[in-house]
């Protein structure tokens, strides 16, 4: 099967118009020595029906959230994706367009990105948002690049150990290229100590901390931001959009940037991607931001329209002096986020947050395990297990329940800690079922 | 709707302007359980002003926005270097199979065997196409693939004790802007090599530039001029003789799949743009994927996790001691990988024919337009080509931008303009292999008609487009006044910097 549209007759007519006898002649510019002299060794072509059967077979060999009662979170969450998202994803005019370089052809995408930017600014309490980054990890590296340029005499960033391990790993991958040293502040009982942050932030360009923490605790976020600011570093909060109906906006407690993983708002889990990262900032940082930014303007008749703004920051204009190399980003996923957040509205978002809080609170009482940390939680709670957490996962899965994430995979000394996520898709009865299974497998 | 002069396009209000207090769409479940109080200092103090809209209005909103947008599904989209080919709709079904869509990335390996097998097979197919043995699927986009490739170079040279001495990357003056931007992000210095009169890298300039401080070359081949570099074998010798590496920017791979492999050209590192060559819905700007293939000598440094096969089972391998680390979360943009895998399985070895037809289509357009718009080089092209509108500018005061805007009125998305920078008034045109001859003929007729209009009524071009939802937009004003979010009727925040 192929998606070509040229008939044999077309081919002959086209070759004649070009003035060559064969397609091979067009490739005469490829030196003989670098040509492939055999067919590609690839599996034979499949028709659409056979291809569908093959992919269905592969998909059927995965155990997904529809066949297992899952409490797995740790960065990717099983929140409800409303059907209005399908409206965005099924319209070919949006789905099959590229970056809106030609705004008169792209007012739909441009307006939607402008609305997305507004929603992100509202949720985070920031002045400006870009059109998306790759994910919640790479926006952390992007934010460090911003800080590096804003405070060039401070070649260091501070990461709270309570940030998701993957976020820290990606920052560490990028940091040498930026000329940045990376320092981590260890957790104390699942949260970060503002005094330790204050000490570590001396000479640092930025302090990155999560809210809530990867360990399932609410951080003293305002105190962490203040500690960073007082030391002269930019405070950067890594937040969960779905928490921001009940938790304070980073802008309200003095953060310079707010970043995070957008998956929980509007994206399927999809084995880790594609998702979107969001990045928002205070107004004075706008010219240092990475990625696309949409702005409002007028047309020749004075009517409102939208265009890519501040393109002189970007790689296609500024080249080696650009604020990032981002070109293809995650617009479609971000628009799914916009549709989801608009579907929820302010009341729905608060209700999702309250449901998460209620289920997590109920689980603390109901599960036959002790919470590993005292600090209050949002939608995830770390529990201490009497046998290794990985063994709890294995045994519970045999009973059709995925009980969560074994933190020992990332944190030393936490082999007996299980991180359990409660989204609004889980019910009180689901938590009861989890409690029963944990009681059985932890005996 | 494509372009209709005289049609009254109604303004589409912003979601925030449709909002009415108390209106709503979604109603999340509310269990009969008490919610604990969030500590006061951590609690939301002011509700976010999300739009308050009902579902019918929300659906109409996105439908109206879609109507004001143009995609490959709408019509010809010959945006050079972006490979805007057809997106098979069956791919959306595949990516939405619950076994893929609802699979958690931290699911145990034994419960994700289908996903891991798909990734492992995709790695193998990409390795064959690259002519290089080892592949990472992690990078999220082409430009992240570039950065990954450069970080691999850093790690490779550091491992050999040459980390301090090799500090420069050579790029072509025709390179995409991502190349120099990635060089900076990787902490390298940039050297630029000129283009010779045939459109190849200037080999004399190159010999002068390359020395013991050179870490490597980044090259797109065919170049952004749509030309295969005829000196590629000599380029390879210059870099490898100097102990440097060669990086292949796969942005233009659509020209040469099954015809010439980057590994056989001598490249050590290759990134693929899965969203270009192997078809993804570009979604108004993304998502994409930028897998990287490398030679054996660079394999120890690839990002983690890697997908490996042991007997009949697959697993994610994190035990790679010399890895550069992670470049994004989890194992890769899986939904993009599913679609690319499906595309490659549809064609099989006939992917070569895909490239042949891409090159045929581009040359057909070039042959039929070269008497009206000037090609900068007198050669056949590969999958794309560049024309210059400088003749129209000189004679009629009409620019490449005017030509682009006028094409909209003919129902065609404009090509890439003013790039590459080495060609004045550049129009960079890439039809892709999925277009039928009739659509190519439409483009030819439109471009020729526009050239006539430039002589007869240039103001029609300068004021174009005439039939889109908006007339020409003031892009300068957008950057001067910086309205980057809805103001809710308040004064916009002061943006400075």
């Amino acid at each position: 099967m192929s998606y070509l549209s040229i008939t044999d007759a077309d081919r002959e007519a086209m070759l004649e118009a070009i003035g060559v006898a064969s397609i091979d002649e067009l490739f005469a510019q490829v030196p003989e020595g670098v040509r492939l002299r055999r067919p590609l060794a690839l599996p034979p072509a499949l028709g659409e029906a056979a291809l569908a059967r093959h992919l269905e077979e592969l998909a059927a060999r995965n155990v997904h959230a529809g066949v297992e009662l899952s409490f797995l979170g740790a960065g990717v969450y099983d929140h409800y994706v409303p059907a209005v998202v399908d409206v965005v994803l099924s319209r070919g005019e949006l789905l099959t367009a590229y970056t809106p370089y030609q705004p008169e052809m792209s007012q739909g995408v441009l307006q939607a990105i402008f609305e997305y930017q507004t929603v992100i600014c509202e949720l985070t309490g920031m002045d400006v948002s870009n059109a998306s980054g790759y994910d919640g990890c790479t926006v952390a590296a992007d934010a460090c690049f911003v800080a590096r340029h804003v405070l060039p005499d401070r070649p260091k960033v501070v990461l709270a150990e309570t940030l998701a391990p993957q976020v820290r790993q990606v920052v560490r991958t990028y940091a040498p290229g930026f000329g940045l040293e990376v320092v981590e502040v260890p957790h104390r009982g699942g949260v970060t100590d503002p005094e330790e942050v204050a000490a570590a932030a001396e000479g640092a360009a930025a302090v990155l901390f999560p809210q809530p923490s990867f360990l399932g605790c609410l951080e003293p976020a305002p105190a962490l931001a203040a500690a960073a600011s007082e030391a002269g570093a930019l405070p950067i909060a890594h937040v969960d959009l779905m928490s921001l109906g009940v938790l304070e906006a980073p802008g309200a407690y003095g953060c310079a940037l707010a970043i995070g993983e957008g998956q929980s708002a509007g994206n399927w889990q999809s084995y880790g991607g594609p998702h979107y990262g969001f990045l928002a900032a205070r107004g004075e940082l706008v010219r240092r931001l990475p990625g696309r930014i949409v702005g409002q303007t007028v047309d020749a008749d004075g009517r409102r329209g939208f265009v890519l703004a501040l393109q002189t920051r970007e790689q296609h204009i500024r080249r080696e002096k650009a604020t990032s190399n981002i070109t293809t980003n995650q617009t479609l996923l971000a628009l799914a986020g916009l549709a989801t957040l608009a579907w929820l509205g302010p009341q729905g978002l608060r209700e999702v947050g309250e449901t998460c809080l209620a289920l997590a609170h109920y689980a603390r009482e109901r599960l036959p395990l002790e919470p590993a940390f005292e600090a209050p939680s949002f939608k995830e709670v770390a529990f201490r297990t009497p046998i290794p957490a990985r063994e709890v996962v294995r045994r519970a899965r045999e009973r059709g329940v995925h009980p969560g994430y074994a933190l020992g995979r990332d944190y030393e000394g936490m082999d007996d800690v299980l991180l359990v996520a409660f989204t609004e898709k889980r019910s009180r009865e689901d938590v009861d079922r989890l409690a029963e299974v944990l009681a059985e497998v932890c005996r | 709707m494509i372009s209709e002069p005289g049609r009254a396009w109604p303004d589409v209000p912003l979601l925030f302007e449709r909002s009415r207090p108390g209106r709503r769409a979604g109603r999340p479940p509310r269990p009969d359980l008490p919610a604990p109080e969030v500590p006061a200092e951590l609690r939301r103090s002011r509700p976010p002003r999300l739009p308050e809209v009902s579902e019918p209005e929300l659906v109409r909103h996105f439908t109206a926005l879609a109507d004001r947008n143009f995609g490959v599904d709408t019509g010809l989209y010959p945006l050079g270097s972006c490979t805007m080919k057809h997106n098979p709709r069956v791919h959306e079904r595949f990516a939405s199979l619950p076994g893929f869509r609802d699979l958690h990335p931290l699911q145990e390996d034994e419960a994700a065997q289908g996903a891991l097998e798909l990734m492992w097979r995709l790695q193998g197919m990409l390795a064959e196409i690259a002519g290089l043995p080892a592949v990472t699927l992690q990078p999220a986009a082409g430009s992240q693939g570039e950065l990954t490739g450069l970080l691999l170079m850093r790690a490779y040279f550091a491992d050999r004790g040459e980390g301090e001495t090799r500090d420069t990357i050579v790029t072509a003056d025709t390179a995409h802007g991502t190349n120099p931007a990635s060089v900076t992000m990787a902490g390298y210095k940039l050297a630029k090599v000129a283009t010779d009169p045939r459109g190849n890298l200037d080999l004399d300039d190159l010999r002068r530039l390359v020395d013991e401080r050179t870490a490597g070359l980044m090259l797109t081949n065919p170049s952004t001029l749509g030309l295969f570099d005829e000196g590629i074998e000599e380029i390879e010798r210059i870099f490898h003789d100097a102990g440097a590496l060669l990086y292949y920017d796969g942005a233009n791979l659509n020209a040469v799949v099954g015809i010439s492999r980057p590994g056989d050209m001598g490249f050590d590192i290759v990134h693929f743009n899965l969203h270009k060559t192997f078809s993804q819905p570009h979604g108004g700007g993304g998502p994409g994927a930028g897998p990287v293939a490398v030679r054996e000598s660079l394999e120890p440094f690839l990002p983690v996790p890697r997908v490996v096969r042991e007997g009949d089972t697959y697993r994610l391998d994190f035990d790679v001691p010399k890895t550069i680390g992670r470049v994004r979360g989890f194992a890769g943009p899986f939904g993009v990988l599913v679609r690319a895998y499906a595309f490659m399985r549809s064609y099989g070895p006939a992917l070569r024919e895909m490239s042949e037809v891409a090159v045929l289509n581009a040359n057909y357009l070039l042959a039929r337009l070269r008497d009206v718009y000037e090609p900068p080089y007198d050669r056949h092209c590969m999958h794309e080509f560049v024309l210059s509108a400088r003749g129209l500018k000189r004679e009629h005061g009409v620019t490449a931008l005017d030509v682009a805007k006028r094409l909209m009125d003919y129902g065609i998305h404009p090509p890439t303009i003013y790039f590459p920078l080495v060609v004045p008034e550049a129009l960079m045109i890439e039809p892709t292999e999925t277009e039928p001859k009739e659509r190519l003929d439409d483009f030819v007729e439109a471009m020729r008609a526009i050239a006539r209009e430039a002589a007869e009524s240039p103001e029609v071009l300068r004021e174009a487009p005439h039939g889109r939802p908006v007339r020409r937009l003031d892009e300068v004003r957008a950057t001067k006044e910086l309205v980057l979010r809805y103001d809710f009727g308040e004064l916009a925040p002061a943006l400075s910097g």
Side-chain angles (χ1 to χ4, degrees):
Chain A
M1 179 175 60
S2 82
Y3 301 99
L4 306 177
S5 306
I6 299 293
T7 66
D8 291 345
D10 291 337
R11 183 179 292 109
E12 292 314 309
M14 291 164 74
L15 288 171
E16 194 181 330
I18 299 165
V20 294
S22 70
I23 289 180
D24 281 350
E25 273 187 53
L26 300 174
F27 288 97
Q29 58 193 302
V30 179
E32 292 283 340
V34 302
R35 294 201 202 177
L36 184 65
R37 293 281 163 211
R38 58 167 176 81
L40 286 169
L42 297 175
L46 294 175
E48 185 168 320
L51 185 61
R53 197 171 333 124
H54 172 54
L55 281 150
E56 283 160 10
E57 281 166 8
L58 288 172
R61 288 168 48 210
N62 301 319
V63 181
H64 61 86
V67 295
E68 187 173 64
L69 177 59
S70 178
F71 295 87
L72 193 50
V76 166
Y77 299 94
D78 188 19
H79 284 284
Y80 183 68
V81 178
V84 70
V85 163
D86 300 347
V87 179
V88 177
L89 300 186
S90 64
R91 285 293 299 233
E93 303 92 326
L94 300 171
L95 186 72
T96 69
Y98 190 45
T99 302
Y101 296 116
Q102 294 290 342
E104 298 85 0
M105 293 299 257
S106 320
Q107 281 302 292
V109 157
L110 285 161
Q111 180 171 333
I113 294 173
F114 184 83
E115 292 170 346
Y116 163 83
Q117 290 173 183
T118 306
V119 161
I120 295 297
C121 287
E122 271 301 304
L123 289 175
T124 57
M126 291 287 162
D127 301 319
V128 290
S129 160
N130 75 3
S132 70
Y134 304 133
D135 69 9
C137 298
T138 66
V139 290
D142 290 336
C144 291
F145 202 43
V146 172
R148 178 78 181 106
H149 286 100
V150 173
L151 297 169
D153 300 332
R154 294 171 154 249
K156 179 172 91 170
V157 289
V158 177
L159 307 181
E161 194 196 9
T162 54
L163 282 160
Q166 301 202 6
V167 170
R168 287 178 281 134
Q169 288 159 11
V170 169
V171 169
R172 285 185 178 281
T173 301
Y174 276 64
F178 299 166
L180 279 172
E181 179 199 354
V182 179
V183 174
E184 292 198 12
V185 175
H187 82 96
R188 304 293 174 201
V191 295
T192 310
D193 178 353
E195 285 184 20
E196 288 183 68
V197 165
E202 289 300 327
V207 174
L208 280 73
F209 59 88
Q211 177 70 316
S213 87
F214 185 75
L215 301 173
C217 300
L218 292 182
E219 289 274 13
L224 298 177
S229 287
E230 278 160 29
L234 299 182
I236 302 174
H238 193 282
V239 293
D240 178 356
L241 292 178
M242 290 306 240
S243 76
L244 293 174
V246 293
L247 296 186
E248 185 58 294
Y253 50 84
C255 287
L257 292 113
I259 56 174
E261 169 62 60
Q263 180 273 333
S264 60
N267 294 170
W268 304 100
Q269 302 177 59
S270 191
Y271 204 51
H275 298 146
Y276 62 103
F278 58 90
L279 184 147
R282 289 203 301 249
E284 69 266 22
L285 299 175
V286 65
R287 284 169 210 281
R288 283 305 332 166
L289 294 195
R292 312 295 190 188
I293 298 176
V294 170
Q296 181 179 309
T297 187
V298 294
D299 75 357
D301 291 337
R303 289 174 71 176
R304 178 169 73 186
F306 302 92
V307 298
L308 293 175
L310 294 166
Q311 292 191 59
T312 49
R313 298 166 298 117
E314 294 193 63
Q315 47 77 26
H316 59 285
I317 311 272
R318 188 57 60 86
R319 301 179 75 82
E320 68 269 24
K321 295 195 171 62
T323 57
S324 87
N325 64 351
I326 292 179
T327 308
T328 293
N329 55 28
Q330 306 294 117
T331 298
L332 191 65
L333 293 310
L335 299 193
L338 168 68
T340 300
L341 291 161
W343 182 82
L344 284 170
Q347 210 175 329
L349 186 69
R350 199 191 68 232
E351 289 170 3
V352 167
E354 287 171 354
T355 297
C356 293
L357 279 165
L359 287 170
H361 182 70
Y362 177 63
R364 287 178 97 111
E365 318 256 291
R366 181 71 179 81
L367 299 189
L369 303 174
E370 286 302 310
F373 309 113
E374 280 174 23
S377 46
F378 170 56
K379 69 182 175 191
E380 278 183 301
V381 185
F383 291 96
R384 199 72 59 201
T385 52
I387 56 173
R390 294 204 76 149
E391 185 60 17
V392 174
V393 172
R394 195 185 65 75
R395 292 186 192 175
R397 286 198 61 245
E398 286 172 358
R399 289 160 171 81
V401 172
H402 199 308
Y405 184 69
L407 279 171
R409 283 163 77 161
D410 297 303
Y411 290 87
E412 255 180 65
M414 288 201 202
D415 286 341
D416 62 343
V417 183
L418 183 70
L419 185 66
V420 190
F422 306 93
T423 70
E424 83 287 6
K425 282 180 74 178
R426 302 289 90 86
S427 65
R428 176 185 184 143
E429 293 70 31
D430 291 339
V431 177
D432 292 340
R433 172 72 188 138
L434 175 64
E436 283 169 32
V437 167
L438 287 175
E440 287 169 29
V441 304
C442 290
R443 256 202 298 267
Chain B
M1 203 50 58
I2 296 174
S3 177
E4 271 187 61
R7 173 180 168 184
W9 292 84
D11 287 327
V12 178
L14 291 164
L15 270 174
F16 310 95
E17 293 162 342
R18 291 181 190 262
S19 181
R20 295 293 177 275
R23 195 172 281 165
R24 62 188 301 184
R27 289 176 188 277
R30 314 214 65 193
D32 182 22
L33 291 169
E37 281 282 293
V38 172
E41 71 281 11
L42 307 182
R43 199 184 306 151
R44 184 96 198 180
S45 54
R46 189 180 92 157
R49 289 168 294 184
L50 297 180
E52 297 181 69
V53 286
S54 63
E55 174 154 323
E57 280 292 286
L58 202 49
V59 170
R60 285 187 185 134
H61 181 72
F62 287 111
T63 303
L65 291 184
D67 198 33
R68 291 158 75 85
N69 222 64
F70 185 103
V72 176
D73 283 3
T74 323
L76 184 67
Y77 207 126
L79 189 66
S81 264
C82 297
T83 315
M84 298 298 288
K85 62 175 68 177
H86 172 64
N87 301 132
R89 267 311 216 278
V90 73
H91 291 182
E92 301 313 297
R93 276 196 211 166
F94 297 155
S96 297
L97 288 167
F100 294 147
R101 190 190 71 182
D102 297 332
L103 182 61
H104 194 288
L106 297 171
Q107 177 60 290
E108 304 296 302
D109 287 349
E110 79 261 15
Q113 285 295 299
L116 291 169
E117 180 176 340
L118 184 148
M119 293 169 81
W120 186 83
R121 285 170 173 254
L122 180 61
Q123 288 178 176
M125 292 195 289
L126 291 173
E128 165 66 2
I129 289 166
L132 293 169
V135 174
T136 173
L137 300 176
Q138 208 181 60
S143 56
Q144 209 193 18
E146 292 178 18
L147 180 62
T148 302
L150 293 169
L151 295 176
L152 289 169
M153 286 193 193
R154 278 183 71 119
Y156 171 84
F157 285 119
D159 192 56
R160 295 164 62 93
E162 297 178 82
E164 299 300 314
T165 49
R166 295 197 183 265
D167 61 1
T168 304
I169 300 287
V170 179
T171 67
D173 59 1
T174 56
H176 293 113
T178 50
N179 288 183
S182 299
V183 167
T184 300
M185 288 178 74
Y188 276 118
K189 292 180 194 156
L190 180 73
K192 274 177 270 192
V193 57
T195 301
D196 78 6
R198 268 187 70 73
N200 298 318
L201 286 197
D202 185 322
L203 292 175
D204 292 332
D205 195 28
L206 200 56
R207 287 190 194 96
R208 266 195 305 277
L209 279 174
V210 176
D211 59 22
E212 72 286 350
R213 301 206 69 86
T214 307
L217 169 75
M218 295 182 90
L219 189 68
T220 315
N221 193 23
S223 69
T224 60
L225 295 162
L227 302 173
F228 197 94
D229 201 303
E230 296 160 313
I232 187 64
E233 290 160 301
E234 179 60 16
I235 293 168
E236 187 264 332
R237 278 190 289 274
I238 292 171
F239 279 87
H240 281 162
D241 286 353
L245 296 170
L246 289 92
Y247 179 91
Y248 183 91
D249 174 339
N252 291 345
L253 187 71
N254 208 47
V256 293
V257 177
I259 289 157
S260 180
R261 306 190 305 172
D264 299 339
M265 298 177 210
F267 288 91
D268 304 288
I269 309 172
V270 175
H271 91 253
F272 297 86
N273 295 76
L274 293 189
H275 46 295
K276 296 181 182 177
T277 318
F278 304 111
S279 185
Q280 298 289 323
H282 282 65
V292 170
V294 298
R295 242 175 244 301
E296 291 89 344
S297 52
L298 288 143
E299 184 173 3
F301 309 102
L302 285 177
V304 283
R306 304 205 49 209
V307 182
V308 296
R309 179 180 177 169
E310 281 162 2
D312 289 333
T313 61
Y314 303 86
R315 67 177 178 85
L316 292 175
D317 183 15
F318 293 85
D319 186 19
V320 183
K322 292 185 178 178
T323 179
I324 60 166
R326 272 184 180 283
V327 297
R328 78 184 287 289
F330 308 106
F334 181 71
V336 177
L337 307 180
V338 169
R339 292 174 178 89
Y341 176 78
F343 185 86
M344 294 165 78
R345 292 302 308 265
S346 297
Y347 278 85
L351 281 170
R352 179 190 170 103
E353 198 185 338
M354 168 191 88
S355 287
E356 287 177 347
V357 176
V359 171
L360 175 71
N361 282 0
N363 275 285
Y364 177 67
L365 289 184
L366 173 60
R368 294 208 52 204
L369 290 170
R370 63 186 315 150
D371 60 324
V372 184
Y373 298 85
E374 295 169 53
Y377 303 95
D378 185 21
R379 285 171 61 176
H380 289 308
C381 66
M382 298 294 279
H383 68 305
E384 70 182 358
F385 60 99
V386 178
L387 295 175
S388 172
R390 69 180 153 186
L392 298 188
K393 189 176 182 191
R394 193 172 51 235
E395 286 157 37
H396 312 298
V398 162
T399 62
L401 182 72
D402 298 329
V403 173
K405 299 298 183 193
R406 184 60 176 153
L407 267 172
M408 298 177 184
D409 290 330
Y410 288 85
I412 294 170
H413 193 286
T416 297
I417 51 174
Y418 299 108
F419 189 81
L421 307 171
V422 296
V423 178
E425 298 299 317
L427 296 153
M428 185 198 214
I429 299 160
E430 181 181 12
T432 84
E433 74 281 2
T434 55
E435 293 301 332
K437 179 168 174 292
E438 303 88 272
R439 296 291 84 73
L440 303 177
D441 289 334
D442 292 346
F443 182 71
V444 170
E445 294 313 319
M447 288 291 282
R448 298 184 76 91
I450 289 169
R452 285 194 300 274
E453 289 176 334
E456 292 159 9
S457 46
E459 70 287 351
V460 171
L461 272 61
R462 280 186 217 116
E463 291 176 11
H466 301 275
R468 292 295 303 164
V470 287
R471 294 185 61 203
R472 204 176 290 195
L473 288 157
D474 187 345
E475 300 197 41
V476 174
R477 175 174 166 149
T479 289
K480 257 190 196 157
E481 300 193 352
L482 287 187
V483 180
L484 306 178
R485 62 180 173 89
Y486 179 61
D487 64 6
F488 296 94
E490 298 168 354
L491 287 177
L495 296 181
S496 58

